[in-house]
Amino acid sequence: MTEVSICMKTTISVIKADIGGFPGHQDVHPELIKVAKEMLATAKKSGQLTDFFVGKCGDDLQLIMTHSKGVDCKEIHKLAWDTFVAGTEVAKRLKLYGAGQDLLSDAFSGNVKGMGPGVAELEFEERTSEPVIVFMMDKTDPGAFNLPVYRMFADPFCTPGLVIDPSMQGGFHFEVYDTVEGRKITFKTPEEMYSMLAFVGSRSRYVIKRVYPGPGNKVSEKEAVACVSTEKLSQIAGQYVGKDDPVAIVRCQSGLPAVGEVLEPFSFPHLVAGWMRGSHQGPMMPCAMEQATPTRLDGPPRVVALGFQLANGTLVGPADIFKDVSYDYTRQKANEIAEYMRRHGPFEPHRLPEEDLEYTNLPKLQEKFKGRFTKI
Ligand code: F6R
Ligand code: MG
Ligand code: MG
């Protein structure tokens, strides 16, 4: 008789949606947090979830859930969908802004992907100690993760472990999505680093979806160690309905980038697409969850980092990481850059180039003036 070893894997699912803002697109109302907590607590009691944390970033409600049912699980996605539907009822009653905004379909069809909410999920065998960071962004799109995720796993000037830790000498493999053609490709770093940058530098089209350890790493090459939500609302809805406001999950330490190495790219407030009307370039400002209330011109874009230790699926934490004073300088810099960019008003590069505004109201305006143009 062959011996079958059953190892319990943990799945962490982060599913988020903007189901109504307060005021405008600034914050999540406490009533929405309350209803989400109630729904997920019931699911935990029934054994459907191992654990959960309800968070927020700007106007996005964030469901951080652990379970043992794997990624793309219909039951878990339905739970998230039902939670957003219940929250939408509350949002409608309070007349919150854009109630139900990200629920782009009337009925759940098995998976929330393509229905509006953003999803990032990882399934893995928990190591002796399993530090995980959940990043949540507001007022931007999935390409905003390209630069920081690239730097965490491929830039030795950011991550000393790539040089010093023998487990990381084999580098990492990046799964990249082409969001225009609906195709994907995997690049191996460090050997294909330059080629990968040729693509992921175009962050409105190519987005890093997952990262896998390279050969020789302590963590299996088959287990993704980072995952980014890549859903693009405009492509699902066919028009601008708010920014995608992506999330990411990153596992850390013991052969993977350390917590500090994973956080290091965010010390640079890089320019991302989004901000007011999803039509502007602005600096990414790291901040605490309570500070993630984009106010100045509905911005500037924010990123929150919640740190957890997993203990057999239990979410020990969170630590609200960017609360730390060591990010004060970055916030100050981000405010300076925001001021500098704002001075350009409606001019590029503050405003996005025409091709990135195709889902906004700009094409309607261009249509209106089409007949007024004459040949030069
Ligand atoms: C950006 C965002 C906001 C809105 C802006 C206009 O992602 O959601 O900046 O685009 O507040 O919103 P409406 O058109 O709903 O008045
Ligand atoms: Mg909103
Ligand atoms: Mg948002």
Side-chain angles (χ1 to χ4, degrees):
M1 219 171 80
T2 41
E3 208 178 293
V4 184
S5 74
I6 302 166
C7 52
M8 265 299 244
K9 286 191 173 185
T10 298
T11 309
I12 174 162
S13 302
V14 183
I15 306 186
K16 47 81 44 184
D18 174 353
I19 53 166
F22 144 82
H25 294 281
Q26 196 176 311
D27 202 350
V28 175
H29 193 279
E31 286 288 320
L32 300 193
I33 304 269
K34 187 168 162 255
V35 72
K37 275 185 182 167
E38 282 165 6
M39 299 266 305
L40 299 192
T42 307
K44 184 177 168 182
K45 221 170 173 182
S46 73
Q48 204 176 20
L49 293 181
T50 312
D51 205 0
F52 71 88
F53 179 78
V54 177
K56 61 173 184 166
C57 182
D59 54 5
D60 293 277
L61 181 64
Q62 311 275 348
L63 312 180
I64 302 170
M65 302 170 285
T66 53
H67 52 94
S68 52
K69 299 171 198 299
V71 304
D72 285 327
C73 170
K74 186 175 174 180
E75 197 184 318
I76 300 299
H77 282 228
K78 183 162 189 328
L79 170 65
W81 182 262
D82 290 346
T83 304
F84 293 139
V85 169
T88 298
E89 288 307 308
V90 177
K92 282 183 178 160
R93 178 166 52 77
L94 298 175
K95 290 182 73 176
L96 297 181
Y97 197 69
Q101 179 188 292
D102 287 359
L103 306 188
L104 301 178
S105 181
D106 290 336
F108 180 73
S109 62
N111 193 306
V112 291
K113 282 182 193 163
M115 298 180 76
V119 188
E121 296 182 289
L122 287 179
E123 184 190 26
F124 49 87
E125 217 172 296
E126 272 185 34
R127 296 169 291 167
T128 316
S129 182
E130 192 65 62
V132 168
I133 300 178
V134 174
F135 291 99
M136 319 181 292
M137 289 182 173
D138 190 40
K139 303 291 180 273
T140 189
D141 60 21
F145 272 112
N146 280 10
L147 184 147
V149 173
Y150 161 75
R151 294 200 64 211
M152 290 169 202
F153 290 98
D155 180 2
F157 281 75
C158 169
T159 299
L162 292 165
V163 180
I164 294 168
D165 184 345
S167 182
M168 285 195 238
Q169 291 277 299
F172 290 89
H173 299 171
F174 290 72
E175 188 182 35
V176 173
Y177 279 11
D178 172 353
T179 59
V180 173
E181 294 277 335
R183 50 186 191 158
K184 61 180 182 179
I185 183 170
T186 299
F187 290 103
K188 295 180 176 181
T189 63
E191 56 272 40
E192 294 181 316
M193 191 169 117
Y194 298 162
S195 314
M196 181 172 90
L197 284 172
F199 289 92
V200 301
S202 303
R203 56 162 159 67
S204 66
R205 174 168 180 173
Y206 299 97
V207 293
I208 296 171
K209 177 67 192 174
R210 293 185 187 86
V211 182
Y212 293 87
N217 199 293
K218 285 187 204 163
V219 178
S220 160
E221 283 178 60
K222 293 193 184 87
E223 263 181 19
V225 293
C227 180
V228 179
S229 68
T230 48
E231 286 71 26
K232 284 208 160 209
L233 284 172
S234 55
Q235 281 164 359
I236 300 166
Q239 60 177 352
Y240 183 75
V241 283
K243 265 298 177 201
D244 317 310
D245 304 336
V247 288
I249 312 169
V250 183
R251 296 170 65 194
C252 318
Q253 306 281 160
S254 287
L256 304 178
V259 167
E261 290 167 335
V262 166
L263 301 173
E264 180 59 9
F266 295 97
S267 64
F268 170 58
H270 67 299
L271 290 176
V272 300
W275 207 343
M276 173 55 77
R277 295 175 191 275
S279 308
H280 295 83
Q281 307 271 11
M284 177 51 71
M285 180 188 277
C287 62
M289 198 161 71
E290 287 308 322
Q291 291 175 326
T293 47
T295 50
R296 186 174 181 189
L297 202 82
D298 289 356
R302 307 295 162 112
V303 57
V304 171
L306 298 182
F308 298 94
Q309 287 289 147
L310 288 180
N312 305 315
T314 299
L315 289 160
V316 178
D320 193 351
I321 295 173
F322 291 144
K323 218 179 192 177
D324 189 65
V325 290
S326 59
Y327 286 89
D328 287 350
Y329 173 78
T330 312
R331 284 188 275 273
Q332 171 64 22
K333 256 286 166 278
N335 276 325
E336 283 165 21
I337 295 165
E339 174 61 21
Y340 173 80
M341 294 303 281
R342 278 304 300 132
R343 297 282 285 272
H344 294 80
F347 287 85
E348 295 177 14
H350 183 28
R351 199 181 73 180
L352 292 181
E354 212 179 87
E355 60 269 26
D356 289 340
L357 297 178
E358 63 172 315
Y359 292 108
T360 66
N361 285 325
L362 190 74
K364 286 181 202 149
L365 200 76
Q366 286 168 333
E367 189 59 32
K368 185 177 160 192
F369 286 92
K370 211 168 83 183
R372 298 255 304 268
F373 281 91
T374 56
K375 259 209 153 37
I376 301 170

